[in-house]
Amino acid sequence: MGQVKTDIPVVINNKVYTLSGFEGEEYLQNIATYINGKIAECKTSEEYRRMNVEYQGVLLALNIADDYFKAKSKADESANDNSDKEQQLYELRHEVIESQIKHEAALKLVEEYKEQVNILQKRLVQLEAEKEK
């Protein structure tokens, strides 16, 4: 089943536009809100207000691109951190398995030594009994 395309009217810079997409209405409205916020941020600059509409659009696009690349950089950094953490987790799990194997081998060795001690104690008792005869 395909996704349903959503069309919603939004207000951007005091004008009504229809946004369309396969995302939900809330997502599309958030885009419009973000754009309005960037426009308001740019309008706080006297230089921006003096620019013609074309330059204003370019400056707005540059600000949005800056936000995008900063967010992408953080996301990439986070992905790298996650990859490093996954590698560390893999290594730790491997160490735990190695330790469990060593522990099990040590327990087996302890049991073997206990058996040998029991055999030697029995042999000692036999030898002492024979000596007393």
Side-chain angles (χ1 to χ4, degrees), residues 29-132:
Q29 188 60 53
N30 285 340
I31 290 173
T33 301
Y34 171 78
I35 296 297
N36 281 322
K38 292 309 285 184
I39 291 170
E41 183 181 312
C42 288
K43 283 183 176 180
T44 62
S45 164
E46 183 65 35
E47 293 84 15
Y48 177 84
R49 289 191 304 257
R50 281 191 249 145
M51 292 178 183
N52 67 36
V53 174
E54 181 182 355
Y55 283 143
Q56 286 179 345
V58 170
L59 183 60
L60 181 63
L62 288 170
N63 275 275
I64 292 169
D66 179 53
D67 287 352
Y68 166 79
F69 282 106
K70 285 177 182 173
K72 185 178 182 316
S73 177
K74 282 184 182 181
D76 291 346
E77 188 177 305
S78 179
N80 289 337
D81 286 348
N82 286 343
S83 179
D84 290 346
K85 287 176 183 172
E86 286 175 11
Q87 180 64 33
Q88 289 173 353
L89 184 59
Y90 172 81
E91 290 170 3
L92 287 172
R93 285 179 177 157
H94 186 72
E95 286 179 33
V96 166
I97 291 169
E98 284 181 350
S99 295
Q100 286 174 333
I101 291 169
K102 288 178 183 177
H103 178 71
E104 289 171 7
L107 287 176
K108 185 176 179 182
L109 196 57
V110 165
E111 289 302 314
E112 289 174 7
Y113 287 154
K114 282 181 181 179
E115 287 179 32
Q116 288 178 4
V117 166
N118 284 337
I119 292 170
L120 290 173
Q121 285 176 337
K122 288 178 184 176
R123 181 71 180 137
L124 183 62
V125 169
Q126 283 178 339
L127 289 173
E128 287 177 351
E130 288 176 10
K131 181 181 163 186
E132 289 179 5

